[in-house]
Amino acid sequence: MARALPTFAPDAAPGSPVELFAAWLAEAVAVGVLDPGAALLSTAGADGRPDARIVALRDVEADEAGWVFASDAASPKGVQLAQRPAAALTFYWPLQGRQIRVRGDVTQAAREVSLAEFGSRSPASKIAGLVGRQSTPLASLPDWDEAAEGARRQLANNPDAHPPGHTVYTLAAHQVEFWQGDPGRRHVRLRYTQNSPADGGAWERTLLWP
Ligand SMILES: Cc1cc2nc3c(=O)[nH]c(=O)nc-3n(C[C@H](O)[C@H](O)[C@H](O)COP(=O)(O)O)c2cc1C
């Protein structure tokens, strides 16, 4: 971290973590962070053992502080989320020495929302989704090519074709932490925690020792 990094003044941080996330994301895009929307999604299933993988951030909803991603409900992560609908999303943008940790409860969008999201995808992404069977054993790469060719034909015959398990998920945050690295190790950490609805649901901000 011995490089010039942005500074972060927590006293001037906005009241909502979504607002700060949006500002940091815009800055990440502006300075050319690669794949700034790629986030580590951590889940645990019925056995309680952690699992983690990268997903693409699709949207951030200001109203319910929702971080939105999509996957197949039949995939291991989908099964884990059905068993334990809670997760964490972690972003790391090395160019700026920034980490953002989002924790909360996960809900599935209504079927028509998931279908509309799938419908908005590129042909390549649709074909990959229609091939499906994510994380199950694949005997050989030509088997994938053959399945993709079948999906291509399916899509040509029916442009509305979609995988049955395609699902948009929203992680409704109850805690969001912003970490700004510092070359002198005076890292700045600001955690937002949402009060319970009974306490008004407002966000509280807390500085953390690095
Ligand atoms: C940059 C990047 C973006 C990805 N985006 C997604 C995504 O949005 N949804 C998804 O299901 N998998 C995505 N993947 C693949 C997952 O990391 C993972 O390999 C796959 O979803 C299977 O995970 P699971 O076995 O835990 O269910 C992405 C991988 C990378 C490296």
Side-chain angles (χ1 to χ4, degrees):
M1 214 140 278
R3 57 186 186 276
L5 294 172
T7 54
F8 173 41
D11 291 348
S16 148
V18 175
E19 212 177 306
L20 185 53
F21 180 83
W24 276 29
L25 182 60
E27 287 172 33
V29 171
V31 301
V33 170
L34 283 178
D35 279 350
L40 186 71
L41 171 73
S42 301
T43 53
D47 63 5
R49 291 176 178 274
D51 200 355
R53 80 295 287 156
I54 302 292
V55 294
L57 180 72
R58 300 275 159 197
D59 197 8
V60 186
E61 294 168 351
D63 289 353
E64 50 173 314
W67 273 253
V68 180
F69 58 93
S71 191
D72 193 307
S75 70
K77 76 182 87 49
V79 171
Q80 289 160 6
L81 286 170
Q83 293 167 337
R84 290 191 184 210
L89 276 173
T90 309
F91 298 81
Y92 174 49
W93 299 328
L95 205 55
Q96 300 161 297
R98 285 178 166 173
Q99 172 184 247
I100 304 169
R101 301 166 62 182
V102 186
R103 301 176 71 206
D105 297 322
V106 178
T107 54
Q108 294 190 11
R111 192 80 204 112
E112 56 272 21
V113 173
S114 294
L115 292 182
E117 195 278 333
F118 189 78
S120 72
R121 291 182 169 224
S122 67
S125 174
K126 284 183 180 172
I127 287 164
L130 286 167
V131 166
R133 289 170 269 180
Q134 195 173 61
S135 302
T136 62
L138 170 66
S140 72
L141 293 177
D143 283 2
W144 188 90
D145 298 333
E146 197 180 312
E149 195 42 50
R152 205 169 285 123
R153 281 195 301 271
Q154 187 186 359
L155 202 57
N157 291 335
N158 174 14
D160 293 331
H162 56 269
H166 181 76
T167 304
V168 168
Y169 294 93
T170 301
L171 190 165
H174 57 68
Q175 199 177 78
V176 188
E177 186 207 307
F178 295 83
W179 188 98
Q180 175 62 67
D182 173 73
R185 304 298 187 272
R186 188 176 175 269
H187 310 311
V188 177
R189 296 175 66 192
L190 182 68
R191 186 172 68 198
Y192 289 74
T193 309
Q194 193 171 34
N195 288 324
S196 68
D199 291 330
W203 290 97
E204 261 181 36
R205 283 169 288 177
T206 312
L207 269 182
L208 302 174
W209 287 80

